[in-house]
Amino acid sequence: MIGIDVGGANLKVVEDNSVHIHYCPLWESAPIAEILAGYGEEEAAVVMSGELADCFATKDEGIAFIVREVKKAVPRALFYGTDARFHDLPVRELAAANWLASADFLRERYSDAVFIDMGSTTTDIIPLHNFGHLLGLRDIDRLQQGYLVYIGLLRTNLAAMLGTVLISGTPTPLASEYFAVSADAHLVAGTIASGAYTVPTPDHAGTDRTACLRRLARVVCADLDEIGEEEAVSIARQAVETQVANISDTLERVTGETGIRRIVAAGIGAGFITRNFGAIDLIQELGSVAEALPAFAALEVMRRNG
Amino acid sequence: MIGIDVGGANLKVVEDNSVHIHYCPLWESAPIAEILAGYGEEEAAVVMSGELADCFATKDEGIAFIVREVKKAVPRALFYGTDARFHDLPVRELAAANWLASADFLRERYSDAVFIDMGSTTTDIIPLHNFGHLLGLRDIDRLQQGYLVYIGLLRTNLAAMLGTVLISGTPTPLASEYFAVSADAHLVAGTIASGAYTVPTPDHAGTDRTACLRRLARVVCADLDEIGEEEAVSIARQAVETQVANISDTLERVTGETGIRRIVAAGIGAGFITRNFGAIDLIQELGSVAEALPAFAALEVMRRNG
């Protein structure tokens, strides 16, 4: 049995206790069936969020495509929905139920906790004390409730995250282009290692420190030698601080409404969350499968359900 | 004699009283020499801002590329700089002097005015009463002073412009993706006609109203039928209102510092500026060349200088 999570940018497969993360942008080639080619005989528990990718006119179209491609390679695949059930057919409930699979898996052991899953693109902030309340929530509901925050460790466009930065103390608005992403900030700030910069760079240049600094300078329309390294590093720090502040605000809202203080963290940003908010790091508890928790969780829920 | 403006996304040529706007993204094929192939015998006054495109590691690299490509096709081209002089060689002063050429052209006739040039990607807000004060300003200086606002009629990513939108009265954060641009909002709000949507769509779908509505719904992770047309139209209105409010704030800052009240507007957004702020519309005064004012202005300044 395997677990599969089909996101917009990444396809994750959990098998035994190992995880395989494949960059698989649905808006480009989307080689889902190729990536899954070796798993034809397996039972599979599948979650998705890739139906939102804008190569699909509607989510129904995205769901139909993903179900078809996965089943081509893995005929016995079943798909977990926002009703917490597994489905054989492409139904609307399959849209963005990946976070619910995680909550379903964690809810007994951590019923007194808020679950935070920080991925490359988004962060889920889910209180686990009332699972029934989570059923049927769509992405737009979660955006409104603070359960889905569009802040990620790698792919977030700095221009969508920061209105202005301070350059030598002067507030400076950012160019509203796709010049730098959160991975540039985290790499320069030292919160990720260079090997963790696993998404394409906005300018198709390298992931070395100088290339990151150049991208950071560009957000204020500057060359690196115009503002100097110190100011580019400062942009990185301000971006990382903004991520912490935004997650903190949302977390306070969720904990304020529930009274919950305990946090469990998963996703590639679990370490970042743990360092900043004192969470239980599921990567320590479960191993690397916690970097792809929804895929692992869907598999565990399927096993639990028999 | 011709005027040329090499932007990051568009190459504009002014010849006599006509203007040709070519979509020419420097980060893709950048067929500058091909576009200019027919002008080999002309004298040309050239301005640029495309050196900031992130296919260039530095602006010097971008300037060198643009000068070389333009001169390949038009050997007698001269390049206007932020020192208000024409140069034959690729020097750093050539970076983003397009707005200064416009100010140089307009400064005598409209010395008591603020000049606003709203393009596809950015809006320049330039007080004309003290030309000397404008010399040598780089983009980062203009960002800090409010002379350069990264709001455009067509290409602005809604996620970089709006933190949240109201959906049925509920504040809803936007997905920090490249899902919809200002052209989607303006087309749906009726502030541009469908023929004016001349930039690529984020999802590579059409520029018809339904395709725009779909992109607008996607910024809150929704299908059009999830939120309904009325709410998607409301997102468009909120985006347009935010553009007006942001330009208004910056304009107030610039007019507050200078005491100037009169406005002259150019660029493809001149009509939008005129309707919202009561400006003199240079497109009425000069004809369509005012849609590519920097190219026209560089040409006129070259003529004036003899």
Side-chain angles (χ1 to χ4, degrees):
Chain A
M1 285 173 84
I2 59 171
I4 299 171
D5 183 1
V6 186
N10 293 297
L11 192 153
K12 299 170 188 170
V13 180
V14 167
E15 190 186 10
D16 301 325
N17 281 315
S18 69
V19 56
H20 308 279
I21 301 184
H22 305 267
Y23 183 65
C24 175
L26 296 188
W27 59 90
E28 287 173 13
S29 51
I32 296 178
E34 278 172 53
I35 291 170
L36 298 176
Y39 303 104
E41 300 304 310
E42 302 279 351
E43 284 181 74
V46 186
V47 288
M48 68 179 72
S49 59
E51 75 291 337
L52 182 64
D54 66 3
C55 48
F56 307 119
T58 63
K59 293 183 188 178
D60 288 345
E61 189 184 315
I63 292 165
F65 174 84
I66 292 168
V67 169
R68 190 176 65 240
E69 292 300 305
V70 170
K71 288 185 114 181
K72 247 187 226 172
V74 190
R76 291 156 78 200
L78 290 174
F79 299 81
Y80 184 87
T82 51
D83 54 358
R85 295 182 180 190
F86 284 95
H87 301 263
D88 189 34
L89 295 170
V91 292
R92 175 153 281 205
E93 283 76 12
L94 303 188
N98 52 351
W99 61 278
L100 190 71
S102 298
D104 200 348
F105 166 63
L106 295 171
R107 64 191 164 113
E108 284 173 11
R109 181 151 176 206
Y110 299 103
S111 63
D112 61 340
V114 172
F115 162 58
I116 303 185
D117 188 335
M118 184 175 197
S120 64
T121 308
T122 56
T123 299
D124 300 315
I125 302 180
I126 313 287
L128 296 173
H129 69 301
N130 185 348
F131 187 71
H133 172 75
L134 303 176
L135 296 179
L137 291 181
R138 302 163 304 168
D139 276 349
I140 187 170
D141 304 314
R142 294 201 300 135
L143 282 173
Q144 292 174 341
Q145 296 185 30
Y147 294 180
L148 170 60
V149 182
Y150 255 87
I151 284 182
L153 193 72
L154 304 179
R155 282 185 67 245
T156 313
N157 182 352
L158 255 57
M161 209 170 72
L162 296 164
T164 59
V165 286
L166 292 175
I167 301 290
S168 308
T170 303
T172 310
L174 269 68
S176 61
E177 297 279 3
Y178 184 61
F179 279 156
V181 290
S182 45
D184 295 308
H186 283 290
L187 189 134
V188 167
T191 31
I192 66 169
S194 68
Y197 196 138
T198 55
V199 295
T201 58
D203 58 0
H204 310 291
T207 59
D208 56 290
R209 184 180 156 86
T210 302
C212 293
L213 288 167
R214 279 193 175 138
R215 286 189 288 272
L216 291 165
R218 201 173 279 127
V219 303
V220 290
C221 300
D223 268 353
L224 181 53
D225 68 354
E226 266 184 85
I227 60 168
E229 178 167 335
E230 195 179 324
E231 293 301 326
V233 171
S234 163
I235 294 172
R237 276 202 210 103
Q238 293 175 62
V240 172
E241 281 162 17
T242 298
Q243 290 204 321
V244 173
N246 289 1
I247 292 172
S248 176
D249 286 351
T250 313
L251 184 59
E252 262 174 45
R253 180 176 158 197
V254 171
T255 56
E257 284 165 9
T258 58
I260 291 173
R261 290 276 142 217
R262 201 175 171 214
I263 297 167
V264 289
I268 56 169
F272 181 67
I273 296 297
T274 303
R275 281 192 301 280
N276 282 288
F277 301 103
I280 298 165
D281 186 340
L282 287 174
I283 294 173
Q284 305 293 329
E285 308 254 313
L286 301 171
S288 64
V289 291
E291 289 193 8
L293 192 67
F296 177 73
L299 175 59
E300 290 297 309
V301 170
M302 182 179 261
R303 281 189 175 133
R304 189 179 70 198
N305 295 358
Chain B
M1 285 174 84
I2 60 170
I4 299 171
D5 183 2
V6 185
N10 292 297
L11 192 153
K12 300 170 188 170
V13 180
V14 167
E15 190 186 11
D16 301 325
N17 280 314
S18 69
V19 55
H20 308 280
I21 301 184
H22 305 267
Y23 184 66
C24 174
L26 296 188
W27 58 90
E28 286 173 12
S29 51
I32 295 178
E34 279 172 51
I35 292 170
L36 297 176
Y39 302 105
E41 301 304 309
E42 301 280 350
E43 284 182 75
V46 187
V47 288
M48 67 179 71
S49 59
E51 77 290 337
L52 183 63
D54 66 3
C55 48
F56 307 119
T58 63
K59 294 183 188 178
D60 288 343
E61 188 184 315
I63 291 166
F65 175 84
I66 292 168
V67 169
R68 190 177 64 237
E69 291 300 304
V70 170
K71 289 186 114 180
K72 247 188 226 172
V74 189
R76 291 158 78 201
L78 290 173
F79 299 81
Y80 184 87
T82 51
D83 54 359
R85 295 181 180 190
F86 283 96
H87 300 263
D88 189 35
L89 295 170
V91 291
R92 174 153 282 203
E93 284 75 13
L94 303 188
N98 53 351
W99 61 276
L100 189 72
S102 298
D104 200 349
F105 166 62
L106 295 171
R107 64 190 165 114
E108 283 174 13
R109 182 153 176 201
Y110 298 104
S111 63
D112 61 339
V114 172
F115 163 59
I116 303 185
D117 188 335
M118 185 177 196
S120 64
T121 308
T122 56
T123 299
D124 299 316
I125 302 181
I126 313 287
L128 296 174
H129 70 300
N130 186 347
F131 186 71
H133 172 75
L134 303 176
L135 296 180
L137 291 181
R138 302 163 303 169
D139 276 349
I140 188 170
D141 304 314
R142 295 201 299 134
L143 283 172
Q144 291 174 341
Q145 296 185 29
Y147 294 179
L148 170 60
V149 183
Y150 255 86
I151 284 182
L153 194 71
L154 304 179
R155 282 185 67 244
T156 313
N157 182 353
L158 256 57
M161 208 170 72
L162 297 164
T164 60
V165 287
L166 291 174
I167 301 290
S168 308
T170 303
T172 310
L174 270 68
S176 60
E177 297 279 2
Y178 183 61
F179 279 156
V181 289
S182 46
D184 295 309
H186 282 291
L187 189 136
V188 166
T191 30
I192 65 169
S194 68
Y197 198 138
T198 55
V199 294
T201 57
D203 58 0
H204 310 292
T207 59
D208 56 289
R209 184 180 156 84
T210 302
C212 293
L213 288 167
R214 278 192 176 138
R215 285 188 288 272
L216 291 165
R218 201 173 280 128
V219 303
V220 290
C221 301
D223 268 354
L224 182 53
D225 69 354
E226 265 183 88
I227 60 168
E229 177 166 336
E230 196 178 324
E231 293 301 327
V233 170
S234 163
I235 294 171
R237 276 204 210 101
Q238 293 175 63
V240 172
E241 281 163 16
T242 297
Q243 291 204 321
V244 172
N246 288 2
I247 293 171
S248 176
D249 286 351
T250 313
L251 184 58
E252 263 173 45
R253 180 177 158 196
V254 172
T255 57
E257 284 165 8
T258 59
I260 291 173
R261 291 277 141 217
R262 201 173 172 215
I263 298 167
V264 290
I268 57 170
F272 181 67
I273 296 297
T274 303
R275 282 192 301 280
N276 283 287
F277 300 103
I280 299 166
D281 186 340
L282 287 175
I283 294 173
Q284 305 293 327
E285 308 255 313
L286 301 171
S288 64
V289 291
E291 289 193 7
L293 192 66
F296 178 73
L299 176 58
E300 290 297 308
V301 170
M302 181 179 262
R303 280 189 175 132
R304 190 179 69 197
N305 295 359

